[in-house]
Amino acid sequence: MYCIDNKQFPCSTSLTMKYIGGKWKSVILIHLIQKKRYNELRKELPMVTERTISLQLKELEEDGLIIRTVHTSKPPLKVDYELTEFGQTLIPLLKSIAQWGKETAATNKRIEVV
């Protein structure tokens, strides 16, 4: 049993999913393997609403997986996102998930790559 902020997780898998679970967190994280500006991330994820991206980024930041840097030196305001050292520990897992998806898409006749 694992416990974070009085929330219990019955196993290590459920603990992992607390950090990367949901429809978009792992997708955002894999895009942030390379440091990105907010607008770059939005362009790479056109099927995700701006509100959803913002909420997911906030949760990822609160969980210590990403760093948000605001550059206020000159207008317009620029915001960068990048993985923290803790977030970087997920890179092998994220790449394995992506590879599994590619292999599954290549071998499963029901999946259409568009």
Side-chain angles (χ1 to χ4, degrees), residues 6-44:
N6 295 322
K7 188 171 182 182
Q8 293 184 348
F9 300 90
C11 66
S12 58
T13 301
S14 64
L15 177 65
T16 302
M17 296 311 292
K18 176 251 190 278
Y19 287 102
I20 66 166
K23 190 171 181 179
W24 299 112
K25 281 186 180 178
S26 57
V27 175
I28 291 169
L29 287 167
I30 204 155
H31 281 271
L32 290 179
I33 288 175
Q34 298 287 319
K35 182 180 191 177
K36 297 243 181 347
R37 290 216 166 110
Y38 179 81
N39 287 331
E40 290 177 292
L41 191 58
R42 283 280 301 127
K43 287 177 187 173
E44 291 178 6

Side-chain angles (χ1 to χ4, degrees), residues 3 13 16 27-28 32 44 52 54 62 74 80 87 89 95-96 98 107 114:
C3 188
T13 301
T16 302
V27 175
I28 291 169
L32 290 179
E44 291 178 6
T52 298
S54 295
E62 288 171 358
K74 59 182 177 179
D80 291 334
T89 64
K95 287 184 175 182
S96 291
T107 59
V114 290

Side-chain angles (χ1 to χ4, degrees), residues 59-112:
E59 287 180 23
L60 291 167
E61 185 179 15
E62 288 171 358
D63 286 340
L65 296 173
I66 65 171
I67 298 171
R68 177 180 187 264
T69 305
V70 179
H71 303 278
T72 58
S73 57
K74 59 182 177 179
L77 185 73
K78 293 181 182 174
V79 180
D80 291 334
Y81 291 91
E82 62 186 308
L83 297 177
T84 62
E85 192 172 320
F86 177 49
Q88 290 173 12
T89 64
L90 287 169
I91 292 173
L93 173 63
L94 295 167
K95 287 184 175 182
S96 291
I97 291 169
Q99 185 60 37
W100 184 88
K102 286 178 188 174
E103 290 170 6
T104 300
T107 59
N108 189 325
K109 295 182 191 306
R110 294 181 4 199
I111 299 173
E112 180 183 348

